[in-house]
């Protein structure tokens, strides 16, 4: 019976991975963000912005059919500006270059496999997504069949299929967050902290998760650990922002949620706390009322509630899993409050890590119960 169960588990994993790979490649798809990522990767080895502009758009034209190219270059005023005006395109590049870890990953993958940057981005997303599935399957392979099988619908809910197709750093962030959660659950703290700090180079708001860990250290009066974590994260964040001329918080907030300018040249909106609060509330209720996006609030709420529930467990290990899951789910909430993007993929990575730790708590609770 045990051998049959193992074969069934392996077969389920293989079928899901096959479907994930098929879904990622069932049609020719390129999202707009891939274009400035390709230009940013080009700039790693050639600092000529004019050449980067020509290369990214020229390669796109060779890579996709006319309809896709027409949509990416000319679907609205913003895209028309990005494809026609080199200075406008250049002014938007810091939004992508500050994700420097991802940009260098594209450069490395493209050079290593001798493929163009667009294909490299696709490969990165697909490999990262497959590794997330495999890592979760390995983590729960010895658990009860119901717990093992639950990882697949949870991953679908957390949009692993979309992450594998999207040409953004979100699948890589999901993998990094999941590995960090695994290491934290096994008390391999230095490596886990290092990975979380490095995730700042994939998206700058990931500093929030390091911040939560730092304040936990401060609360426990572990002052040395607090200083090392805080200073390391701030240095990485500061150097990355300075070197790639980060747009800053308010420009990012304003352009993402209020008005996306055709160029960031001379774009300097004045900060307004009133506008921030109004947008935060508007986006929250809009997301909550949207049939598709409401799952973001739902999953965050469930994960926070489950984390609090397990945190109060009488079993030390279960309580520890609950605390760790709260670090990721509360960090997700903090990232949403900071900039409430109406896009699930932005938050998928830490929610995958949080869900993993909740499943760990459930499995541990079951194992501790008398048969």
């Amino acid at each position: 019976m045990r051998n049959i169960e193992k074969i069934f588990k392996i077969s389920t994993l293989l079928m899901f991975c096959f479907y994930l790979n098929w879904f990622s490649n069932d049609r020719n798809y390129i999202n707009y963000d891939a274009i400035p990522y390709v230009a940013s990767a080009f700039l790693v080895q050639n600092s000529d912005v004019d050449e980067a502009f020509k290369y990214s758009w020229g390669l796109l034209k060779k890579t996709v059919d006319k309809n896709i190219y027409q949509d990416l270059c000319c679907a609205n005023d913003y895209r028309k500006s990005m494809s026609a005006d080199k200075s406008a395109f250049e002014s938007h590049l810091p939004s992508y270059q500050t994700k420097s870890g991802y940009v260098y990953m594209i450069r490395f993958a493209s050079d290593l496999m001798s493929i163009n940057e667009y294909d490299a981005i696709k490969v990165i997303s697909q490999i990262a997504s497959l590794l997330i599935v495999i890592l979760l399957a390995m983590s729960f392979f010895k658990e009860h069949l119901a717990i093992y099988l639950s990882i697949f619908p949870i991953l679908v809910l957390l949009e692993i299929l979309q992450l594998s197709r999207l040409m953004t750093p979100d699948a890589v962030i999901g993998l990094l967050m999941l590995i960090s959660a695994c290491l934290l659950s096994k008390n391999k703290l230095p490596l886990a902290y290092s990975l979380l700090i490095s995730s700042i180079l994939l998206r700058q708001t990931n500093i929030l998760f390091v911040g939560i860990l730092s304040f936990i250290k401060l609360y426990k009066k572990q002052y040395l650990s607090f200083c090392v974590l805080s200073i390391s994260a701030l240095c990485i964040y500061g150097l990355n922002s300075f070197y790639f001329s980060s747009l800053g918080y308010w420009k990012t907030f304003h352009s993402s949620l209020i008005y996306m300018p055709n160029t960031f040249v001379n774009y300097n909106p004045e900060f307004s706390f009133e506008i921030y609060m109004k947008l935060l509330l508007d986006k929250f209720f809009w997301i909550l009322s949207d049939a598709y996006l409401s799952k973001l609030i739902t999953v965050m709420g469930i994960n926070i509630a489950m984390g609090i529930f397990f945190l109060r467990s009488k079993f030390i290990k279960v309580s520890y899993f609950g605390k760790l899951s709260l670090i990721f789910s509360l960090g997700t909430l903090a990232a949403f409050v900071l900039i409430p993007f109406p896009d699930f993929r932005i938050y998928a990575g830490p929610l995958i890590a949080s869900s993993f730790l909740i499943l760990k708590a459930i499995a541990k609770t079951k194992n501790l119960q008398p048969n």
Side-chain angles (χ1 to χ4, degrees):
M1 184 65 74
R2 287 182 179 275
N3 288 334
I4 293 174
E5 185 175 302
K6 286 180 180 179
I7 292 170
F8 181 70
K9 286 180 176 180
I10 294 171
S11 300
T12 304
L13 172 62
L14 291 175
M15 286 189 292
F16 190 86
C17 288
F18 176 82
Y19 177 69
L20 180 65
N21 184 65
W22 173 84
F23 183 89
S24 305
N25 298 284
D26 70 329
R27 58 189 172 93
N28 191 6
Y29 173 81
I30 290 182
N31 51 286
Y32 171 78
D33 284 344
I35 303 167
Y37 280 128
V38 168
S40 299
F42 181 88
L43 288 168
V44 170
Q45 61 183 14
N46 186 330
S47 59
D48 191 323
V49 178
D50 287 342
E51 288 297 317
F53 174 73
K54 293 174 185 176
Y55 177 80
S56 56
W57 285 104
L59 181 59
L60 179 69
K61 200 166 189 176
K62 294 177 185 176
T63 304
V64 301
D65 62 42
K66 290 182 179 179
N67 291 332
I68 294 176
Y69 181 81
Q70 189 66 23
D71 176 66
L72 291 170
C73 80
C74 309
N76 51 47
D77 289 341
Y78 167 74
R79 292 187 179 183
K80 288 177 182 177
S81 175
M82 293 300 100
S83 61
D85 187 342
K86 187 270 296 182
S87 62
F89 184 78
E90 181 183 0
S91 73
H92 281 257
L93 284 182
S95 295
Y96 302 88
Q97 291 175 299
T98 49
K99 299 175 180 69
S100 55
Y102 184 60
V103 170
Y104 277 89
M105 196 177 294
I106 297 167
R107 180 74 275 138
F108 176 77
S110 177
D111 293 343
L112 179 68
M113 293 182 277
S114 298
I115 55 178
N116 70 59
E117 290 84 353
Y118 288 108
D119 288 339
I121 295 174
K122 291 179 181 179
V123 169
I124 290 168
S125 289
Q126 290 170 30
I127 289 177
S129 299
L130 284 169
L131 288 175
I132 288 171
V133 178
I134 292 168
L135 181 55
L136 280 171
M138 290 173 60
S139 298
F140 295 101
F141 190 78
K142 294 182 180 180
E143 301 296 344
H144 190 275
L145 182 61
I147 293 175
Y148 176 82
L149 291 178
S150 70
I151 67 177
F152 302 107
I154 288 173
L155 282 171
V156 172
L157 177 66
L158 297 176
E159 299 201 350
I160 191 68
L161 298 176
Q162 287 74 12
L163 293 185
S164 70
R165 175 181 281 171
L166 280 173
M167 301 169 75
T168 64
D170 299 291
V172 181
I173 291 172
L175 178 61
L176 209 59
M177 292 282 180
L178 179 58
I179 295 173
S180 299
C182 289
L183 293 170
L184 287 170
S185 70
K186 295 177 180 179
N187 279 313
K188 296 180 178 179
L189 304 184
L191 187 53
Y193 296 158
S194 298
L195 286 177
L196 282 174
I197 290 170
S198 69
S199 74
I200 297 168
L201 300 178
L202 299 175
R203 177 166 287 116
Q204 289 181 297
T205 51
N206 288 340
I207 195 174
L208 292 168
F209 302 97
V210 184
I212 292 173
L213 284 167
S214 297
F215 280 112
I216 290 173
K217 296 295 183 183
L218 183 62
Y219 177 76
K220 291 182 176 180
K221 298 182 179 180
Q222 297 174 354
Y223 300 119
L224 179 60
S225 296
F226 167 75
C227 290
V228 171
L229 270 177
S230 301
I231 293 171
S232 299
L234 289 171
C235 285
I236 293 291
Y237 183 93
L239 288 171
N240 187 62
S241 298
F242 175 78
Y243 188 77
F244 294 104
S245 304
S246 173
L247 297 176
Y249 167 69
W250 189 244
K251 279 187 182 179
T252 302
F253 182 98
H254 200 276
S255 60
S256 301
L257 300 174
I258 301 175
Y259 168 69
M260 174 59 80
N262 292 338
T263 177
F264 277 117
V265 176
N266 299 322
Y267 180 72
N268 191 27
E270 185 178 350
F271 175 77
S272 169
F273 185 73
E274 183 180 351
I275 290 175
Y276 162 76
M277 287 303 300
K278 184 178 185 303
L279 259 294
L280 177 61
L281 293 173
D282 284 351
K283 290 297 180 184
F284 174 79
F285 288 113
W286 177 61
I287 291 172
L288 200 59
S289 62
D290 184 273
Y292 171 71
L293 289 174
S294 59
K295 74 174 181 178
L296 170 60
I297 306 298
T298 303
V299 172
M300 274 199 293
I302 291 173
N303 282 19
I304 291 171
M306 293 290 285
I308 293 171
F309 175 78
F310 286 118
L311 177 65
R312 301 179 67 181
S313 171
K314 62 182 179 180
F315 301 116
I316 295 174
K317 193 64 176 178
V318 174
S319 178
Y320 181 62
F321 288 145
K323 181 181 78 172
L324 292 178
S325 73
L326 279 173
I327 290 170
F328 289 98
S329 52
L330 289 175
T332 307
L333 178 61
F336 177 82
V337 170
L338 193 67
I339 306 179
F341 291 109
D343 194 342
F344 190 93
R345 70 172 176 87
I346 301 291
Y347 312 99
L351 288 175
I352 288 172
S354 175
S355 299
F356 160 78
L357 290 160
I358 288 168
L359 274 180
K360 275 289 185 183
I362 292 171
K364 192 68 177 178
T365 301
K366 182 186 179 304
N367 292 336
L368 290 168
Q369 295 296 331
N371 295 323

